[in-house]
Amino acid sequence: VLIESFHGKQITDSPYYIMKELLKRGGYEIYVTSTRDAWADNKKFIKDNNLKVKMIQLGTTKYYKILATAKYLVNNVSFPLCFLTRDEQVYLNTWH
């Protein structure tokens, strides 16, 4: 699962609460997008809230690999314009 909120600037809003529910249910490998500028704050937030997730930096090769291969994608804005979902992916956008 790839969770992204406000282009990785924060871990908040609907994606955060969806992530918390998935963590309660278990069985998911969850990645959370973070910008480089927000990395320290987001890492502290994850640690302080004991969230068992992996952070991934926005725009890196690893980010694009996870984006292209994750079964589930959750975002409250949008993913990069170059991204197209594959048929086997489920994309939940909570924008409106």
Side-chain angles (χ1 to χ4, degrees), residues 15-33:
Y16 169 68
Y17 291 99
I18 291 168
M19 177 183 66
K20 282 183 64 170
E21 180 62 29
L22 292 174
L23 287 167
K24 276 198 301 188
R25 293 178 183 209
Y28 297 96
E29 184 175 18
I30 300 176
Y31 292 87
V32 178
T33 302

Side-chain angles (χ1 to χ4, degrees), residues 5-21:
S5 181
F6 299 112
H7 299 294
K9 295 176 187 168
Q10 303 171 9
I11 302 172
T12 59
D13 204 47
S14 300
Y16 169 68
Y17 291 99
I18 291 168
M19 177 183 66
K20 282 183 64 170
E21 180 62 29

Side-chain angles (χ1 to χ4, degrees), residues 7 10 15 41 43 51-52 55 69 85 89-91:
H7 299 294
Q10 303 171 9
D41 290 339
K43 188 171 184 171
L51 302 171
K52 305 295 185 209
M55 282 184 24
T69 59
T85 57
Q89 289 181 301
V90 177
Y91 177 17

